[in-house]
Amino acid sequence: MTAITCPDCGNEFVLSGKTRLYIGNINEVLFDKINKTVPFASIRTFYVCSPFLSQLNYGQKTLKKIGRKNRLIVITRPKNTPSDYARHEKQFEFLQKECKADMNTIDNLHAKMYIMEAGSASFAMTGSMNLTNPKSIEAAIFTTDSKLFDDHKNNFLYELKSKSKPVK
């Protein structure tokens, strides 16, 4: 296990061999993980929680491929709320129509979580990144630890999804 001390707050984080901190273009890391380490036949569900959406330079085909099997659940803000409304609405409709995603909204959503349920290839990722093309340096914790994965999935389903409104 590795201990990392945050230079800003002084808190110590312990990372195991199954948990890693990433900094940079996190969406590229996320979709590389899916495309290179997850057998598509094993994907049960991909859970996405992102307040803001935009068409991705990297990941659109993967989302569509996952969604075609009706295994994509998305929680985001309503189509008409972000400051960059047009891009959010376009990606919202892409996910809903092209990917057949189960779309849900929460008005004041800020959380960002990505959970891949895929048997032994399951993982969870949480951090600062929206499902948009990055304009900033982002950070995320990626884990394949089964306990942390279960915690993320349960928080998604019982804390976030239960507070969301389904979109028809």
Side-chain angles (χ1 to χ4, degrees):
M1 290 199 213
T2 305
I4 297 173
T5 303
C6 175
D8 295 324
C9 68
N11 289 333
E12 187 173 275
F13 301 92
V14 177
L15 303 179
S16 71
K18 296 180 178 186
T19 303
R20 181 164 178 207
L21 173 67
Y22 286 96
I23 296 173
N25 183 342
I26 303 303
N27 288 325
E28 189 173 318
V29 171
L30 172 65
F31 287 105
D32 276 348
K33 291 286 184 192
I34 294 170
N35 291 320
K36 294 177 181 175
T37 66
V38 178
F40 271 84
S42 71
I43 297 174
R44 291 190 199 103
T45 309
F46 183 39
Y47 304 91
V48 172
C49 177
S50 175
F52 302 109
L53 307 169
S54 72
Q55 185 172 1
L56 303 171
N57 295 331
Y58 195 85
Q60 293 290 94
K61 289 179 186 176
T62 303
L63 289 168
K64 198 169 183 176
K65 188 174 177 182
I66 294 169
R68 285 189 182 148
K69 299 192 183 243
N70 294 321
R71 301 179 290 195
L72 180 59
I73 299 174
V74 177
I75 299 175
T76 188
R77 289 187 179 187
K79 287 197 279 191
N80 59 353
T81 56
S83 58
D84 194 356
Y85 160 72
R87 280 193 282 186
H88 181 78
E89 181 179 37
K90 186 176 180 181
Q91 185 68 358
F92 189 107
E93 290 177 359
F94 167 80
L95 291 168
Q96 188 175 32
K97 294 174 183 168
E98 299 290 322
C99 302
K100 299 179 176 32
D102 173 2
M103 298 297 289
N104 304 271
T105 62
I106 298 175
D107 289 339
N108 61 345
L109 183 67
H110 186 69
K112 293 107 177 162
M113 297 172 69
Y114 305 89
I115 304 156
M116 175 58 71
E117 187 174 23
S120 62
S122 295
F123 67 81
M125 188 177 242
T126 189
S128 63
M129 73 292 183
N130 288 294
L131 197 61
T132 59
N133 289 312
K135 295 177 185 170
S136 306
I137 296 173
E138 305 285 356
I141 299 288
F142 172 89
T143 188
T144 58
D145 180 88
S146 60
K147 166 103 175 68
L148 291 174
F149 171 83
D150 288 343
D151 288 348
H152 277 75
K153 182 180 166 192
N154 290 334
N155 281 323
F156 184 97
L157 292 172
Y158 302 114
E159 295 297 325
L160 291 169
K161 189 137 184 343
S162 68
K163 291 174 175 60
S164 70
K165 297 174 191 163
V167 176
K168 301 294 177 199

